[in-house]
Amino acid sequence: MTEKQRKILDIALELFAQDGYNSTSTNKIAQEAGVSEGLIFKHFGSKEGLLDYLVEEGVALMNEELDNLMRIENSVDRLKATLRFPKAVIDKNPAYWKVQMSIKFANHEIVEKYHNSSFMGKAMGIISETFEELNFENPQMETQLLMQIIASFFMSLINDEMENYAEMVSFLEKKYNLI
Amino acid sequence: MTEKQRKILDIALELFAQDGYNSTSTNKIAQEAGVSEGLIFKHFGSKEGLLDYLVEEGVALMNEELDNLMRIENSVDRLKATLRFPKAVIDKNPAYWKVQMSIKFANHEIVEKYHNSSFMGKAMGIISETFEELNFENPQMETQLLMQIIASFFMSLINDEMENYAEMVSFLEKKYNLI
DNA sequence: AACCAAAGTGAGTAATCACTCACAAAAGTA
DNA sequence: TACTTTTGTGAGTGATTACTCACTTTGGTT
């Protein structure tokens, strides 16, 4: 990976997150990266190829975080960490998830392409296992509900719409009897 | 409102919902509506003016639905109806909410403009009042959590990602002791 | 030094975009 | 009927878009 190649990716990620994929021109990316526009296409083939690369990086990051979560042995601690997961992940790399969200609703064809490589399955596995270990009455529905809640937290955090995240976490900890 | 004016709105709503606002050209709207492209601008000023009109219609629809919800006297029944609210609303007019979601993440400037006219405040008022009437221990946090859950349901339903909505509703009814 | 593949350039291109405008048809209104 | 207003047309425009291509520069190998 060349220095300029990395620069293109970094600037593209920043601009995609800030202005959206569709509203960011390859011309602007080239200018801000201090690079000729042609180089983008030499390296990534197309604008969508550039997005592909960034999405893959995001997926890799998310899988890493999920692996860390999975490694927590104690079920109670794992569930606690799961509740804190959205904020922890977003604080590390907000741009990747802003891009993911912006394409999820705007570009239907592109979303279809990425849908398979989703990490939802892995996340569901972790949560499901946790609720089973904790002997919840209906682990499947508990899993599905918590997945919804976490997804919603992701969206709110990306839009800076959740000031009292910590309070919400401790509220949920009480509900789940984790004290 | 002219016949052609209504036709433009209907087609625009359909195409915005299907392909997204940015990916829908005024040319295509005109063609599918059987109307000259100029007429769109004569009636709505700009492409964004057309979107404004549709968003206002959506806001009016949502406020109507919220008023209906508010009119339910019995707290238990109102909370039950609140849980069914997302599916009930989306089943009636899916296109409006697909458009709302697609612009929420793609067009940052446009979102800012609509953010004030949000009906979130009204929804929060209804739910908050319900939890207080039902003597929940922490009505504020309960409200915020349920708002998140409902928002998540909206998103999942729009993307056709929730097959067992009914099961989820009855699961939540048990959780909230509504049986 | 001679050579070559990869990295990098930047002017150019065809397509698409939202939007304009001079004009025509239709619909009131008197 | 004579008029004004509203509704409607469609060719045209400048700006922007993603992408191409002929070419140059750079870095490493023999």
Side-chain angles (χ1 to χ4, degrees), chain A residues 8 11 21 24 57 88 104 110 170:
Chain A
I8 290 170
I11 294 291
Y21 172 74
T24 303
E57 287 190 342
K104 180 160 178 72
I110 293 182
S170 61

Side-chain angles (χ1 to χ4, degrees), chain A residues 24-135:
Chain A
T24 303
S25 67
T26 50
N27 173 33
K28 190 174 181 187
I29 296 171
Q31 275 192 324
E32 301 240 341
V35 144
S36 73
E37 201 176 346
L39 192 60
I40 295 175
F41 295 92
K42 182 137 287 179
H43 280 318
F44 302 101
S46 65
K47 189 186 172 187
E48 202 174 315
L50 182 54
L51 178 64
D52 286 346
Y53 206 99
L54 291 172
V55 168
E56 274 185 39
E57 287 190 342
V59 169
L61 278 171
M62 181 62 87
N63 276 322
E64 215 175 296
E65 296 290 341
L66 286 172
D67 287 340
N68 289 339
L69 189 64
M70 204 158 43
R71 263 185 223 107
I72 301 176
E73 300 263 344
N74 183 286
S75 307
V76 172
D77 290 342
R78 199 188 312 127
L79 187 47
K80 280 184 179 177
T82 302
L83 296 177
R84 288 170 176 79
F85 188 76
K87 184 151 176 50
V89 168
I90 285 178
D91 278 350
K92 276 191 195 169
N93 282 298
Y96 282 104
W97 322 120
K98 280 193 187 180
V99 174
Q100 295 262 13
M101 283 292 171
S102 82
I103 59 171
K104 180 160 178 72
F105 292 94
N107 301 71
H108 295 190
E109 333 80 35
I110 293 182
V111 175
E112 294 271 322
K113 190 171 58 179
Y114 298 144
H115 194 266
N116 317 330
S117 70
S118 171
F119 28 70
M120 287 293 177
K122 186 184 275 194
M124 199 148 87
I126 298 172
I127 297 176
S128 161
E129 196 178 338
T130 304
F131 279 125
E132 276 164 20
E133 286 173 13
L134 292 172
N135 292 316

